[in-house]
Amino acid sequence: MIDFNAEIISGFSLGNVRLNENISSYTNEIYSCFDVEVRSYSIPDGSKNNAYILNKTLTIATNHDGFVFSIGCNQEYKGRYKNILHTGQSMKEIIALTERLRIFNGSVIIDDDFGFSLILPSPYDEIADSIENIPNDIIFNQIYVSDFSMWRSGH
């Protein structure tokens, strides 16, 4: 069951939706239990990916074959990552609760865990090159779970 209070598991699941599952596994539930907005977008190879937004809280991104490759949430989501991190926390709180923070592609990677990211709010998603550029009072309102390991190697 999709649950906006479920634990956030790096590289695996958010809201009890699992990466690499086909969206068809969730279709009956999402359309019977949630207000669903579907956005399609083209990628450079010409195929289309979809984003299923549930109750304006959980975003499930699928590739053209329907497989989930990314799951995100906003401040309405109540689950936590490692029982400590969640949306709505400030940069100061995140720094106090973690050992290492790094910026990649407008996101903050926590303790070199490339299966979980905090999305930097605008304009810092475009201009921040290091953690020191982020004000302590900035609030993180988006979290994503995916496989971000390609960022590590720079590919």
Side-chain angles (χ1 to χ4, degrees):
M1 298 263 318
I2 297 172
D3 179 1
F4 292 174
N5 297 298
E7 178 183 6
I8 300 169
I9 304 172
S10 173
F12 185 72
S13 70
L14 196 158
N16 289 336
V17 175
R18 293 186 307 268
L19 294 172
N20 302 313
E21 283 281 321
N22 196 287
I23 192 67
S24 62
S25 301
Y26 303 101
T27 305
N28 288 340
E29 182 180 0
I30 66 175
Y31 284 105
S32 64
C33 300
F34 300 95
D35 177 32
V36 182
E37 177 186 351
V38 180
R39 294 184 186 163
S40 294
Y41 52 98
S42 297
I43 57 173
D45 71 3
S47 62
K48 288 193 186 256
N49 290 349
N50 289 315
Y52 298 82
I53 304 160
L54 312 184
N55 290 6
K56 298 180 181 174
T57 300
L58 188 75
T59 300
I60 305 167
T62 63
N63 67 14
H64 61 279
D65 291 323
F67 289 95
V68 176
F69 67 86
S70 179
I71 311 154
C73 65
N74 64 21
Q75 67 278 4
E76 299 301 316
Y77 190 87
K78 302 306 175 199
R80 293 173 181 248
Y81 165 77
K82 294 188 175 181
N83 213 24
I84 56 169
L85 299 181
H86 56 87
T87 55
Q89 287 178 300
S90 69
M91 187 68 192
K92 183 177 181 177
E93 290 174 280
I94 302 294
I95 289 170
L97 294 168
T98 59
E99 292 181 26
R100 183 175 184 195
L101 304 174
R102 293 170 48 183
I103 296 175
F104 290 89
N105 300 320
S107 298
V108 174
I109 298 295
I110 306 292
D111 298 331
D112 286 332
D113 181 346
F114 285 85
F116 171 89
S117 74
L118 294 163
I119 308 303
L120 282 165
S122 183
Y124 299 98
D125 59 335
E126 298 288 335
I127 63 171
D129 292 325
S130 70
I131 294 303
E132 293 74 31
N133 297 134
I134 312 296
N136 279 336
D137 62 345
I138 288 295
I139 302 296
F140 288 92
N141 287 320
Q142 291 185 314
I143 289 175
Y144 274 84
V145 170
S146 190
D147 178 3
F148 303 109
S149 62
M150 73 286 269
W151 295 352
R152 181 182 7 225
S153 61
H155 294 107

